[in-house]
Amino acid sequence: MGAKFMKKFYLTTAIDYANGSPHLGHAYEKVLSDVIVRHRRLLGVDTHFLTGLDEHGQKVQQGARAQGMEPQERCDLIAEEFIVLLDKLRISHDDYLRTTQDRHKRVVRSLLQQLYDRGEIYQAEYSGYYSSRAEQFLQEKDKVDGKWPEIFGEVVEVTESNYFFKLGQYQEWLIEFLLENDDFIQPEFRRNQVLEFLKEPINDLCISRPRERLEWGIPLPFDESYVTYVWFDALVNYVSAAGFGDEGFDSLWPADVHVIGKDILAPPHSVYWPIMLKACELPLPKSILVHGWWMISGAKMSKSTGESVDPLELIDLRGADAFRYFVMREMTVGQDADFSLERFDSRYHADLGNDLGNLLSRILNMTARYCDGKVPEATIAEKPESDLANLWDEAHVGARQLFDEYKFNLGLEKIFVFIRGINRYVEERSPWKLAKSEAVEDRAKLETSLAFIVEALRLGVALLAPVMPGVNDQVNKLLGIAATTLWEDDLVWDHRLAGNSLGPKTILFPRD
RNA sequence: GCCAGGGUAGCUCAGUUGGUUAGAGCAACGGAAUCAUAAUCCGUGGGUCGUCGGUUCGAGUCCGACCCUUGGUACCA
């Protein structure tokens, strides 16, 4: 009835925790998400891309205090750092949600109130071992040789009243849902881990902290002496950013993809979140895409070992597109991957510099030398030309299929098989030899070969657009056309560049 | 312990429902070429497909056991 909102393809990343500077893992998740969204846009899909920052909680409060700042002040600084990273990475997000924004707090409180009114939330005593030095409750597993380690200082048994969300009653429903929707969690083996996790009974979820213990949070609407804790704050960002309660909500929610790391799959995104939505009578997201971790020499990255890689340095050194290419080319989505500067340089030099960048250099140069910088007409079509065209068909059909399946590493490999194929074609025709000939037919071959090389390069770069938007833009400018916007139009081999004046000789990926 | 991923050329990885001499890129080596960022192209070498056993006419591909490695086992992307 009437004007209905068109449902957009709505993708979210996990929101980053405002407790430290961005590192490789943060950068990777953003790039992966951005590539998926750009891919959809190139397919003509209307998209909405959300990312953001999780600003509440004890660690943030403590971190601020340690630096003699107000929590909000420190969050503002960290938000700035993350936003700089997003810009540098050419992330094309539509919205940036910070959990301290009113639009978010309002929705969190509204959902909590609804659930409270419906009896989904109750108050109960919680007792456990509390370390005042660490300002947290400890688990049995924190014990060493049956005793609390020194670092926790004095540990006392404390009984505290808190609010709980009735999670447990939905366990059977959730298991059934996951069994029926086998593509809800991708890759599939991650779903199996969740089902395994759900074999044990799950407890109700403690969703509050008394304010005397944690001030930096969103107060419960039905009891202002508590703030809500972690997941009822953080997870809700996906619906609060979509404008829950507003007109446009249905045009975004349910989300199509939540992109997250494997560490926050079970239980937060695979258990708490679906159950929270179910209890709120909201539709569930279509899918959760779970990526792996970057390892450094096989070891997990962490700030504590000082081994973390600063993505900003790499971007400054090699450029955003090179960084994006590297992480998408090396990581099988869902698995872990190893990071090393040697591998980064190898990809940078071999794939980007030698195969792609050098190809651009030579075609720009040859066109300038042999054809006054104007793209000539293709007038003949012999075996080398049909071989190249066939290779293109194979490459783009294959790459598009692989991109659809989130197999970006394999898709990129396919594209570079094509790029290398163009170089092979260049050798086969050897325009520099043809240019020395006076024969009319050699002139035709020369012009045809340059036309084919330019066209093939245009297509290759169009296919790389989701991963390397900057290079796409730059190369297209040099070819005298606008950046690739729609694959349906731009992946067609049609020699549209004939007559265009090419730009000046350009080094895309300089050697040191 | 339990669960899951991985274990294929020096390195990073592909290998569809089991089928002829196991593939790619990088690295190494030899050659061609000179338009180009000393880039490109052609060719060569290199693997008992973690181990043992089983099913089968036939297994990297299925089954079992074991070994190594990474991760999860309630709150670090």
Side-chain angles (χ1 to χ4, degrees), chain A residues 241-300:
Chain A
F244 174 78
D246 297 340
E247 276 286 289
F249 184 64
D250 291 343
S251 71
L252 296 181
W253 196 259
D256 292 271
V257 190
H258 289 319
V259 176
I260 62 167
K262 63 181 185 178
D263 52 301
I264 50 172
L265 174 63
H269 283 80
S270 60
V271 180
Y272 302 159
W273 185 227
I275 290 177
M276 284 162 65
L277 289 166
K278 169 77 175 165
C280 293
E281 296 176 337
L282 285 169
L284 267 53
K286 304 274 176 55
S287 68
I288 298 173
L289 179 63
V290 187
H291 64 76
W293 275 348
W294 283 95
M295 318 289 275
I296 292 176
S297 315
K300 180 178 153 184

Side-chain angles (χ1 to χ4, degrees), chain A residues 75 87 106 120 138 146 154-155 175 182 197 203 284 295 306 316 319 342 346 359 379-381 386 399 424 429 449:
Chain A
C75 288
D87 285 349
R106 206 166 51 231
E120 299 277 348
L138 304 176
E154 193 190 4
V155 176
I175 290 170
D182 54 9
F197 176 83
N203 298 325
L284 267 53
M295 318 289 275
D316 289 339
E342 291 72 31
S346 171
L359 175 63
T379 53
I380 57 170
S386 62
R424 197 172 338 133
R429 279 303 187 192
S449 65

Side-chain angles (χ1 to χ4, degrees), chain A residues 101-398:
Chain A
Q101 291 167 341
D102 280 341
R103 60 170 174 160
H104 174 70
K105 294 183 193 171
R106 206 166 51 231
V107 173
V108 169
R109 284 165 63 90
S110 151
L111 291 179
L112 283 167
Q113 186 68 52
Q114 277 183 38
L115 291 176
Y116 185 72
D117 292 344
R118 228 179 283 147
E120 299 277 348
I121 290 172
Y122 62 93
Q123 191 168 23
E125 299 276 302
Y126 174 84
S127 92
Y129 293 93
Y130 186 75
S131 153
S132 49
R133 183 180 295 173
E135 297 191 45
Q136 62 179 1
F137 280 92
L138 304 176
Q139 307 290 325
E140 276 301 311
K141 66 172 184 181
D142 292 324
K143 281 188 178 174
V144 177
D145 301 327
K147 300 170 75 174
W148 303 112
E150 272 302 297
I151 51 160
F152 293 120
E154 193 190 4
V155 176
V156 287
E157 190 168 6
V158 168
T159 299
E160 189 174 281
S161 180
N162 265 311
Y163 288 90
F164 291 82
F165 170 53
K166 292 183 180 172
L167 203 68
Q169 60 181 337
Y170 292 100
Q171 182 159 4
E172 288 310 313
W173 164 81
L174 180 60
I175 290 170
E176 203 164 310
F177 174 82
L178 291 174
L179 289 172
E180 281 170 8
N181 297 274
D182 54 9
D183 56 354
F184 180 66
I185 296 171
Q186 296 172 343
E188 197 181 354
F189 75 85
R190 293 290 176 197
R191 181 189 64 143
N192 298 337
Q193 289 188 340
V194 174
L195 287 168
E196 195 59 34
F197 176 83
L198 287 170
K199 282 182 180 167
E200 296 293 316
I202 53 175
N203 298 325
D204 289 344
L205 179 66
C206 178
I207 60 159
S208 70
R209 288 293 184 273
R211 278 173 91 159
E212 58 264 26
R213 204 145 73 64
L214 177 63
E215 178 63 30
W216 186 236
I218 301 173
L220 299 181
F222 43 83
D223 188 342
E224 300 274 340
S225 61
Y226 289 86
V227 297
T228 190
Y229 191 61
V230 185
W231 298 115
F232 247 95
D233 184 348
L235 290 167
V236 169
N237 93 87
Y238 303 132
V239 293
S240 58
F244 174 78
D246 297 340
E247 276 286 289
F249 184 64
D250 291 343
S251 71
L252 296 181
W253 196 259
D256 292 271
V257 190
H258 289 319
V259 176
I260 62 167
K262 63 181 185 178
D263 52 301
I264 50 172
L265 174 63
H269 283 80
S270 60
V271 180
Y272 302 159
W273 185 227
I275 290 177
M276 284 162 65
L277 289 166
K278 169 77 175 165
C280 293
E281 296 176 337
L282 285 169
L284 267 53
K286 304 274 176 55
S287 68
I288 298 173
L289 179 63
V290 187
H291 64 76
W293 275 348
W294 283 95
M295 318 289 275
I296 292 176
S297 315
K300 180 178 153 184
M301 272 188 11
S302 75
K303 281 158 270 175
S304 52
T305 59
E307 290 275 23
S308 80
V309 170
D310 182 355
L312 289 173
E313 281 178 27
L314 276 173
I315 297 162
D316 289 339
L317 189 65
R318 299 300 195 190
D321 282 40
F323 179 86
R324 294 169 60 108
Y325 175 75
F326 177 77
V327 294
M328 296 312 288
R329 179 65 186 80
E330 289 292 305
M331 179 76 94
T332 299
V333 175
Q335 308 275 37
D336 294 344
D338 204 60
F339 183 91
S340 83
L341 279 178
E342 291 72 31
R343 291 201 62 72
F344 190 100
D345 283 346
S346 171
R347 288 288 179 202
Y348 179 82
H349 288 127
D351 297 1
L352 299 181
N354 299 351
D355 290 345
L356 179 59
N358 183 53
L359 175 63
L360 175 73
S361 286
R362 58 202 309 212
I363 187 58
L364 289 177
N365 196 60
M366 286 191 285
T367 307
R369 269 166 90 139
Y370 309 139
C371 292
D372 294 323
K374 280 206 169 67
V375 180
E377 297 275 351
T379 53
I380 57 170
E382 297 177 345
K383 188 153 185 304
E385 283 71 32
S386 62
D387 282 351
L388 186 59
N390 289 339
L391 189 60
W392 162 249
D393 285 339
E394 215 171 288
H396 91 272
V397 170

Side-chain angles (χ1 to χ4, degrees), chain A residues 326-503:
Chain A
F326 177 77
V327 294
M328 296 312 288
R329 179 65 186 80
E330 289 292 305
M331 179 76 94
T332 299
V333 175
Q335 308 275 37
D336 294 344
D338 204 60
F339 183 91
S340 83
L341 279 178
E342 291 72 31
R343 291 201 62 72
F344 190 100
D345 283 346
S346 171
R347 288 288 179 202
Y348 179 82
H349 288 127
D351 297 1
L352 299 181
N354 299 351
D355 290 345
L356 179 59
N358 183 53
L359 175 63
L360 175 73
S361 286
R362 58 202 309 212
I363 187 58
L364 289 177
N365 196 60
M366 286 191 285
T367 307
R369 269 166 90 139
Y370 309 139
C371 292
D372 294 323
K374 280 206 169 67
V375 180
E377 297 275 351
T379 53
I380 57 170
E382 297 177 345
K383 188 153 185 304
E385 283 71 32
S386 62
D387 282 351
L388 186 59
N390 289 339
L391 189 60
W392 162 249
D393 285 339
E394 215 171 288
H396 91 272
V397 170
R400 292 183 63 168
Q401 172 72 30
L402 289 162
F403 276 23
D404 283 341
E405 297 166 357
Y406 300 137
K407 294 177 179 168
F408 299 105
N409 54 338
L410 302 182
L412 285 170
E413 188 180 29
K414 275 260 186 303
I415 297 173
F416 271 81
V417 166
F418 177 61
I419 302 287
R420 285 192 293 272
I422 306 174
N423 277 313
R424 197 172 338 133
Y425 173 79
V426 174
E427 294 300 321
E428 208 170 348
R429 279 303 187 192
S430 298
W432 52 92
K433 287 181 190 161
L434 297 168
K436 288 173 188 152
S437 165
E438 299 291 331
V440 178
E441 71 220 52
D442 282 341
R443 183 68 200 174
K445 283 182 184 173
L446 169 64
E447 295 186 351
T448 296
S449 65
L450 295 185
F452 265 75
I453 296 163
V454 171
E455 180 66 0
L457 179 63
R458 177 185 73 77
L459 290 162
V461 166
L463 211 44
L464 287 170
V467 177
M468 298 204 278
V471 164
N472 179 271
D473 196 44
Q474 198 179 355
V475 171
N476 279 319
K477 262 196 196 92
L478 291 167
L479 301 183
I481 54 173
T484 307
T485 51
L486 206 54
W487 272 359
E488 193 184 355
D489 298 333
D490 292 333
L491 294 188
V492 181
W493 188 305
D494 58 8
H495 290 287
R496 68 185 61 177
L497 299 172
N500 279 18
S501 290
L502 299 188

Side-chain angles (χ1 to χ4, degrees), chain A residues 50-76:
Chain A
L50 169 73
T51 184
L53 195 64
D54 180 9
E55 304 193 356
H56 290 125
Q58 197 144 41
K59 286 179 184 165
V60 173
Q61 183 178 308
Q62 284 168 358
R65 193 180 301 155
Q67 294 179 307
M69 290 185 201
E70 288 302 311
Q72 190 62 64
E73 202 182 338
R74 182 153 180 274
C75 288
D76 290 347

